Amino acid sequence: MKVTVFQDYASSLSLSPQESNGEESVNDAASLFFELANAELIGYRVANDSSSATENDAMVIIKQHSDAKAHTGGIIWETSYLLAAFLSSKFGLDRNKVDGDRECPLGKTLEIGAGCGMLGLILAATKLASRVVMTEAAEVMDILTENVDQNKVETPTTNNESESDDDDKLSNNINGIHGTSSKPVCPEECVSVRRLRWDCLQEDVLAAAANNSSAQENDLKPNSFDTIVGTDVVFSPSLVCPLLETIKLMARKKDVESTKATRIYLCLQIRCADSHSLLFSEAHKYGLEVVDVTGELTSCCPWAVELECLLLKINVNEEAATHGKKRKKCSKEKKSKKTSSKEKKSKKKDKKSRKRRKKE
């Protein structure tokens, strides 16, 4: 089967908008992504050094379902490519540092609204992340699971399984990804798929915990992620607050033990102006701060702004997060003060009544 390789198409977009005559570059970019969206198989080269990428390099290969009607998770959107390029540019050099945990600078990563799985698989294959938990709604799970299963290197177990069982496990490695000659490059232990509906958050988190065996880590454990990423996840006003609640539950605050707060990046296009406004106005209620850092995209993807793609960084705001607790504490203190004053008054009344009884 023919694989359309992203880097081969994107090489024409390396010029800045000024160098490529502005409007013409926009048309070229729009045409490029239109063609990519209509290809059945999309390949993304995952060489650690992009300057040395060749046609023989290992790839993540995604099968698209452009005919999907019930949801938008059947194709790879522009923002997935953009966020992958940005994270690779910003954190990729950290892997060359001596510090041990720099090998996977993003650490344990949660992808919300993973769609076809391109972004998460890139982060795992390039070792930008030590583990990627890709999440989606129920209706997209089949597409996501298929792509993840096809791209992961299934390691044979050392238990008492027969050789035939191991052969079945490794059949995907032998046959190639989606029937191509390319072999999987994502270690099985570095990727997983979970259902995570923002409006049924607690139900899905509890289900993930219940499905984990005692020997396995709960990969969807709240407040356990070093990085959270998402692309085109702001599209419906009714889902903005559930999205913020999901981020709040999964993110980690910086604590006194020098644990770093979760880094959070969203890359999106404004598909619904009301939803976009709500994201900024409601975030503080969840102890979060949304900052537009689209300017950081221009160094690695100069055509991002021309396509009206935005990069948002979400900070876990400790003051905002604890503000609600302080208010609750204050109200409790007020209640206790009121209660104590009532108790004092009742005690005084008891004393007076006792004195009257004695006189009588």
Side-chain angles (χ1 to χ4, degrees), residues 257-292:
E257 297 177 354
S258 74
T259 300
K260 293 181 179 179
T262 302
R263 64 173 68 86
I264 307 164
Y265 287 104
L266 303 183
C267 191
L268 50 88
Q269 291 176 309
I270 301 179
R271 302 187 182 280
C272 171
D274 290 342
S275 300
H276 187 73
S277 298
L278 273 175
L279 182 73
F280 279 84
S281 64
E282 297 296 304
H284 71 97
K285 297 179 182 178
Y286 298 86
L288 303 171
E289 177 192 28
V290 182
V291 182
D292 190 329

Side-chain angles (χ1 to χ4, degrees), residues 6-7 42-48 58-62 76-89 95 106 109 111 114 116-130 132 134 147-148 151 185-187 190-191:
F6 170 74
Q7 283 87 343
I42 298 292
Y44 191 102
R45 294 195 186 100
V46 290
N48 285 341
M59 289 191 292
V60 166
I61 298 178
I62 298 297
I76 306 163
W77 294 90
E78 301 96 310
T79 48
S80 292
Y81 301 112
L82 280 168
L83 191 51
F86 166 76
L87 294 172
S88 180
S89 174
R95 288 174 304 195
L106 296 181
T109 300
E111 183 179 8
C116 296
M118 176 63 92
L119 174 59
L121 287 168
I122 291 171
L123 298 182
T126 56
K127 295 184 178 179
L128 278 169
S130 57
V132 183
M134 286 168 271
N147 280 316
V148 172
N151 281 276
V185 292
C186 295
C190 294
V191 290

Side-chain angles (χ1 to χ4, degrees), residues 31-77:
S31 299
L32 179 149
F33 285 109
F34 180 79
E35 289 183 39
L36 288 175
N38 285 281
E40 184 176 5
L41 294 181
I42 298 292
Y44 191 102
R45 294 195 186 100
V46 290
N48 285 341
D49 182 1
S50 58
S51 63
S52 65
T54 69
E55 62 181 16
N56 297 318
D57 281 323
M59 289 191 292
V60 166
I61 298 178
I62 298 297
K63 184 177 182 180
Q64 297 191 115
H65 295 262
S66 56
D67 57 345
K69 304 296 183 184
H71 56 79
T72 59
I75 63 172
I76 306 163
W77 294 90

Side-chain angles (χ1 to χ4, degrees), residues 49-289:
D49 182 1
S50 58
S51 63
S52 65
T54 69
E55 62 181 16
N56 297 318
D57 281 323
M59 289 191 292
V60 166
I61 298 178
I62 298 297
K63 184 177 182 180
Q64 297 191 115
H65 295 262
S66 56
D67 57 345
K69 304 296 183 184
H71 56 79
T72 59
I75 63 172
I76 306 163
W77 294 90
E78 301 96 310
T79 48
S80 292
Y81 301 112
L82 280 168
L83 191 51
F86 166 76
L87 294 172
S88 180
S89 174
K90 186 174 181 66
F91 299 101
L93 292 177
D94 286 349
R95 288 174 304 195
N96 300 325
K97 295 184 180 180
V98 180
D99 189 357
D101 55 1
R102 288 296 186 178
E103 183 182 349
C104 301
L106 296 181
K108 182 183 175 185
T109 300
L110 172 70
E111 183 179 8
I112 49 178
C116 296
M118 176 63 92
L119 174 59
L121 287 168
I122 291 171
L123 298 182
T126 56
K127 295 184 178 179
L128 278 169
S130 57
R131 181 177 184 83
V132 183
V133 183
M134 286 168 271
T135 63
E136 255 298 353
E139 58 269 24
V140 193
M141 285 294 286
D142 287 345
I143 294 174
L144 176 59
T145 302
E146 177 191 20
N147 280 316
V148 172
D149 286 346
Q150 285 289 319
N151 281 276
K152 68 184 180 184
V153 180
E154 295 176 317
T155 308
T157 63
T158 56
N159 296 334
N160 298 325
E161 293 184 351
S162 65
E163 290 184 7
S164 60
D165 290 334
D166 283 345
D167 289 341
D168 290 340
K169 273 193 165 189
L170 296 173
S171 62
N172 185 47
N173 298 357
I174 297 169
N175 297 332
I177 310 170
H178 292 300
T180 67
S181 59
S182 296
K183 299 297 185 288
V185 292
C186 295
E188 182 179 25
E189 66 274 11
C190 294
V191 290
S192 59
V193 175
R194 293 289 184 187
R195 184 185 70 179
L196 187 63
R197 298 163 296 173
W198 310 333
D199 52 353
C200 298
L201 182 59
Q202 294 296 338
E203 179 185 337
D204 287 348
V205 169
L206 290 172
N211 290 336
N212 277 89
S213 67
S214 57
Q216 291 178 315
E217 177 196 0
N218 177 12
D219 56 9
L220 206 55
K221 184 179 178 181
N223 312 123
S224 67
F225 292 93
D226 302 299
T227 305
I228 297 175
V229 295
T231 56
D232 280 316
V233 291
V234 182
F235 53 86
S236 170
S238 64
L239 288 176
V240 170
C241 288
L243 170 64
L244 291 168
E245 182 64 36
T246 300
I247 293 173
K248 175 189 174 183
L249 181 67
M250 294 299 169
R252 184 180 60 228
K253 300 175 195 142
K254 183 178 179 181
D255 60 25
V256 291
E257 297 177 354
S258 74
T259 300
K260 293 181 179 179
T262 302
R263 64 173 68 86
I264 307 164
Y265 287 104
L266 303 183
C267 191
L268 50 88
Q269 291 176 309
I270 301 179
R271 302 187 182 280
C272 171
D274 290 342
S275 300
H276 187 73
S277 298
L278 273 175
L279 182 73
F280 279 84
S281 64
E282 297 296 304
H284 71 97
K285 297 179 182 178
Y286 298 86
L288 303 171
E289 177 192 28

